[in-house]
Amino acid sequence: MDKKIEGNIVDVLNEKIYPAEIIIAGGKIIGINGTSKNYDRYLMPGFVDSHIHIESSMLTPAQFACLAVKHGTVGVVSDPHEIANVAGKDGIDFMIRNSETVPLKFFFGAPSCVPATGFETSGAILNSQSVSDLLKRRDIWFLSEVMNFPGVLNEDPEVLSKIGASHSLNKPVDGHAPGLRGKQLKKYIKAGISTDHECLTYEEAVEKIRAGMIIQVREGSAARGFDVFSRLFDEFPGSVMMCSDDMHPDDLMEGHINKIVSRGVKKGIDLFRMLRAATVNPVFHYGLPVGLLRVGDPADMIAINSLEDFIVSDSWINGELVYSDGRVNFNASEINIDFPFRKRHIDIDDLKVVARGGNIKVITAFDGQLFTGSCIERANLIEGIAAADPEKDICKIVVVNRYRDIPPAAAFIRGFGLNRGAIAGSVSHDSHNIIAVGASDEEIAAAINRIIDMRGGLVALADGRSEELSLEVGGLMTNSYGSDVSEKYRSVERFAKEMGSTLKSPFMTLSFMALLVIPELKISDKGLFDVSEFSYTDLFCDT
């Protein structure tokens, strides 16, 4: 039986709005007929997130879908890079199986960097043959972000083989090249890499667009680029997409791509150009079977009451009403996965940093950013041991290998503001070893050991009190309801702020302090790392 849905059609492709009825049969639009009625709602294509790591929501794909459809998201282009670093191909298969239990359209890529670098320990390795095999599958849509841009520039055979495998199958290749410009940028693009979401400046983004790239404007929980790059929507409407990249559950509760669209329209950006970036451009670029309100398209669409606020009242996917009147009309399936996790606790002695000089290199964390700075400070020496110095906002940062029972790596960091206690988590991009920041070794060790006991999660601990969020799926995700996860996550973050942190999202920032492909100074389970030199660096220095 045919289904009829009425409202004011927002035709993004032809840039017009008109009253009409949409006729649906077999999950597809079979007719759009103009009417003379007055409607109080607008019907438009559903939103597509052009680059996201579902794992960063801390929700399984099925639980993620339950939140995303409330905000009008009908499709996501997802890089399962995080779970692949933990569990390899089995992790990717888990994401696909779990996503297939819900109506939201997930389009997964083949992770190109597992491990992300050779300077950290991950739970799996995906070589060029493994990636090629993945790309041959119909449920793998693209080659995920090529973070190893030095490998591209240096013509590393493994890196180029992965890119070549994707091209041979006419599948897009996503990029990841912060700060890359000039001749090096041209070489990177010439290799066949078509997108980037890591621009540091507006000028860099324009250069990349003019060289042929599509820029994904990112507005996530840690990295927020909308204010810097918003001009691109009007200036280069065909070369911009929207993405969240990494979004924590509390932010996802409040909004998704719809929130970015609303912000742009209120800022004065052309409505249709904002909508093009949120719907048309990702569908065309990746060749997605997602409808754009055309006859013959899948009936993927949403209803909203305002072209300013973009609050969604109804969402349809393949003609089925998946969300309406505040209710999600499907259930999330509970599926788990086996994954490795260390068993041995760490001792306080494991955290001692024996002084080899009077000055130390200190990582500088910035609120809302993935990149870090570095500075040199006098070490706080106590009987020949370098210790945290909370009065100067210098905490100790520790990374513990989650896959093997080996000693941790330790360094120092400023920007977290902790005056007591410690925070720790098993979400630590990209290899997801255990990472912790704290004001004392005793509390750092206690927080890390609690993560080991939980086999993954987040912990904030101080003065004998702790707040926790268990992540039982790969140490990255949970099968719990999004609202419950959001509440627990907020409790953990709130306690971290009571301990002195001034960061908007301390756990999200923490998770990127081991991300060795984003400048400037980071730390892995093997030691302090200088990203500009792409090599380990000594903690102690002369000047």
Side-chain angles (χ1 to χ4, degrees), residues 26 54 103 105 178-179 206 240-241 244 251 290 329 338 350 382 384 407 412 452 461 481-482 494 531:
I54 299 297
K105 297 185 175 183
V206 170
V240 187
M241 299 186 289
S244 61
D251 288 326
V290 174
N329 298 323
D338 291 329
D350 293 331
I382 302 174
F412 295 91
I452 293 171
L461 180 151
Y481 292 119
R494 188 163 48 246
V531 182

Side-chain angles (χ1 to χ4, degrees), residues 92-368:
I92 298 169
D93 288 338
F94 162 79
M95 298 296 281
I96 293 173
R97 285 199 323 273
N98 187 260
S99 73
E100 288 173 344
T101 66
V102 292
L104 184 72
K105 297 185 175 183
F106 290 86
F107 305 100
F108 290 104
S112 67
C113 298
V114 178
T117 73
F119 299 93
E120 57 197 303
T121 305
S122 67
I125 296 173
L126 294 180
N127 60 21
S128 59
Q129 184 59 57
S130 300
V131 170
S132 178
D133 290 342
L134 283 169
L135 285 164
K136 291 173 184 175
R137 292 169 44 165
R138 292 174 60 88
D139 53 10
I140 297 294
W141 292 79
F142 62 102
L143 181 65
S144 299
E145 53 184 317
V146 181
M147 295 184 289
N148 187 3
F149 63 83
V152 177
L153 301 178
N154 295 323
E155 300 180 11
D156 182 290
E158 270 285 292
V159 176
L160 296 185
S161 179
K162 293 173 185 178
I163 295 171
S166 195
H167 289 162
S168 69
L169 296 164
N170 294 315
K171 294 185 177 182
V173 179
D174 274 357
H176 174 120
L180 199 64
R181 303 186 67 174
K183 291 182 180 179
Q184 290 185 324
L185 172 62
K186 290 180 181 177
K187 186 171 184 178
Y188 186 72
I189 294 173
K190 189 176 180 181
I193 298 167
S194 58
T195 69
D196 191 72
H197 59 277
E198 293 287 356
C199 296
L200 302 179
T201 66
Y202 169 80
E203 291 75 20
E204 178 189 338
V206 170
E207 182 179 351
K208 286 177 174 175
I209 287 173
R210 287 178 173 159
M213 272 188 156
I214 294 178
I215 297 301
Q216 294 154 315
V217 176
R218 174 174 58 193
E219 192 73 5
S221 292
R224 301 176 185 271
F226 179 81
D227 288 337
V228 175
F229 303 110
S230 60
R231 289 161 53 193
L232 298 176
F233 294 104
D234 274 334
E235 295 173 354
F236 303 96
S239 300
V240 187
M241 299 186 289
M242 293 182 196
C243 77
S244 61
D245 196 2
D246 296 288
M247 181 164 278
H248 272 188
D250 57 334
D251 288 326
L252 188 58
M253 288 285 291
E254 301 300 320
H256 193 197
I257 300 299
N258 64 321
K259 198 171 180 180
I260 309 175
V261 173
S262 175
R263 190 169 165 190
V265 171
K266 289 177 180 177
K267 189 180 177 74
I269 300 172
D270 180 79
L271 167 67
F272 288 106
R273 295 190 173 186
M274 287 299 297
L275 293 177
R276 183 178 182 87
T279 60
V280 174
N281 290 347
V283 169
F284 284 178
H285 178 72
Y286 292 101
L288 307 179
V290 174
L292 295 172
L293 281 193
R294 299 174 296 184
V295 173
D297 275 2
D300 304 324
M301 58 188 181
I302 62 176
I304 61 175
N305 296 325
S306 164
L307 290 175
E308 222 180 46
D309 296 327
F310 289 90
I311 296 173
V312 176
S313 60
D314 303 276
S315 296
W316 293 265
I317 297 178
N318 289 334
E320 295 299 318
L321 186 62
V322 297
Y323 171 74
S324 181
D325 296 326
R327 179 179 177 138
V328 174
N329 298 323
F330 58 89
N331 295 315
S333 174
E334 289 194 16
I335 302 176
N336 215 321
I337 181 176
D338 291 329
F339 63 98
F341 212 90
R342 71 177 283 148
K343 296 178 181 178
R344 186 178 74 82
H345 279 189
I346 64 165
D347 298 319
I348 294 175
D349 287 346
D350 293 331
L351 303 180
K352 287 182 178 178
V353 178
V354 178
R356 298 188 310 279
N359 296 323
I360 54 174
K361 297 173 186 174
V362 177
I363 302 168
T364 302
F366 300 109
D367 201 4

Side-chain angles (χ1 to χ4, degrees), residues 416-466:
F416 275 81
L418 297 176
N419 52 49
R420 58 193 177 93
I423 62 174
S426 57
V427 178
S428 173
H429 305 279
D430 279 312
S431 292
H432 297 291
N433 290 299
I434 302 168
I435 190 166
V437 165
S440 76
D441 286 358
E442 292 80 4
E443 287 164 313
I444 292 171
I448 290 171
N449 289 335
R450 183 62 192 132
I451 296 293
I452 293 171
D453 290 341
M454 295 165 63
R455 299 190 82 242
L458 305 179
V459 171
L461 180 151
D463 304 326
R465 172 191 163 195
S466 69

Side-chain angles (χ1 to χ4, degrees), residues 52-121:
I52 187 172
H53 304 280
I54 299 297
E55 305 96 311
S56 291
S57 71
M58 302 183 211
L59 304 171
T60 60
Q63 291 290 356
F64 173 91
C66 292
L67 292 186
V69 296
K70 295 180 179 181
H71 306 304
T73 301
V74 299
V76 292
V77 180
S78 180
D79 177 4
H81 171 90
E82 317 303 341
I83 194 66
N85 267 280
V86 170
K89 178 180 173 294
D90 289 344
I92 298 169
D93 288 338
F94 162 79
M95 298 296 281
I96 293 173
R97 285 199 323 273
N98 187 260
S99 73
E100 288 173 344
T101 66
V102 292
L104 184 72
K105 297 185 175 183
F106 290 86
F107 305 100
F108 290 104
S112 67
C113 298
V114 178
T117 73
F119 299 93
E120 57 197 303
T121 305

